[in-house]
Structures are given as structure tokens and as C-alpha cells.
Amino acid sequence: MKSNVSLLRRLGAIFYDTFLAFSLVFFVGMIAIAIFDDIGNAFLYMITLPTVYLYFALSWVKGRQTIGMKAWKFQVIQHNQKNITHSQAFIRFTLGLVSFSVFGLGFIYQLFNKDNLSWHDKLSNTLLVKN
């Protein structure tokens, strides 16, 4: 099955979700500060990645889309058109970070892939489709 979501649409959702994830991390951090009063920066860094991961993973597994994906009208599915699993979400999230961290090459790969898939789509056996 081929993805029908453009790189521009994908980047739009990422931009949108970045602000939402930052807000969520800020909120969780404020709760942690209120509960523990005197916490160090290391603890705040330690809660950032799991918080962001949970936002994406739960959104993908339960509802097929993050809020950014909903705004840009697409969703993530398996090739059999079912919801993705938690293990696929973990692979997708982890490799999405890798795709981004190597100067976005994992995303640019989508432009050259015959099925319009990025690295993390291909390796997690998921794809993006318009609603």
C-alpha cells in the first residue's frame, strides 16, 4: 500500500505537534515542580522524552492520529489498515527522532521512495493516509 500524504503535509503536522508536545512537557514539569518543590534540571530532562513519547504513541495507537495529524487530515495505519501496535509506535517514534537528527534525511527519503514512505514509516511497517 502506498502513502498518499505529502512531505509538506507531514511537516505541517510535525510543526503543529511540536508546540503541543512542548506545552504538555511544560505542564508535566510544572506538576513535578509543584509536587517535589526542589527538583533539578536533570529530572526535568528525564521526564521530557517519556512525556513526548507518550503523547505520540497513545495518539497513534488509540486514535490513529495526533492533534497535528487531525488538523492536517491524515492518520497512521498498518498496511492491513488496522491501528498500529505499541511496538510499531515505539519503533516509529525512535526512528522518527533518528530521521530528524540526521538533517532530516529520513523524511527527505520519502521524496525518493516509490511508496512515499519515510525511513520510520518503512521500518515500522506503518504508513500515513489522508482521512
Side-chain angles (χ1 to χ4, degrees):
M1 195 169 188
K2 184 176 178 174
S3 175
N4 60 2
V5 176
S6 70
L7 180 60
L8 183 62
R9 186 177 290 253
R10 178 190 298 256
L11 293 176
I14 290 169
F15 181 74
Y16 197 101
D17 282 327
T18 299
F19 286 105
L20 293 167
F22 175 77
S23 299
L24 184 60
V25 167
F26 182 78
F27 179 72
V28 170
M30 293 303 292
I31 291 173
I33 290 170
I35 292 172
F36 299 112
D37 191 36
D38 187 28
I39 60 173
N41 288 339
F43 180 76
L44 290 175
Y45 288 122
M46 287 174 36
I47 64 171
T48 298
L49 193 58
T51 300
V52 173
Y53 169 73
L54 286 173
Y55 166 70
F56 282 100
L58 293 176
S59 296
W60 291 333
V61 171
K62 297 296 180 194
R64 294 187 173 186
Q65 56 192 176
T66 62
I67 296 172
M69 293 165 78
K70 187 174 272 196
W72 284 86
K73 297 181 171 70
F74 67 92
Q75 59 189 345
V76 61
I77 58 170
Q78 295 185 52
H79 291 278
N80 62 8
Q81 299 184 356
K82 293 185 178 180
N83 288 12
I84 70 172
T85 64
H86 285 283
S87 60
Q88 285 175 307
F90 180 78
I91 293 167
R92 182 178 172 75
F93 180 80
T94 305
L95 294 178
L97 292 176
V98 173
S99 292
F100 183 75
S101 67
V102 290
F103 309 106
L105 290 177
F107 291 94
I108 294 170
Y109 175 79
Q110 175 182 354
L111 299 173
F112 304 100
N113 180 273
K114 67 180 174 71
D115 293 324
N116 206 30
L117 301 175
S118 66
W119 283 349
H120 49 281
D121 292 330
K122 187 171 184 168
L123 295 172
S124 66
N125 293 316
T126 62
L127 69 143
L128 301 178
V129 292
K130 290 181 186 173
N131 292 351

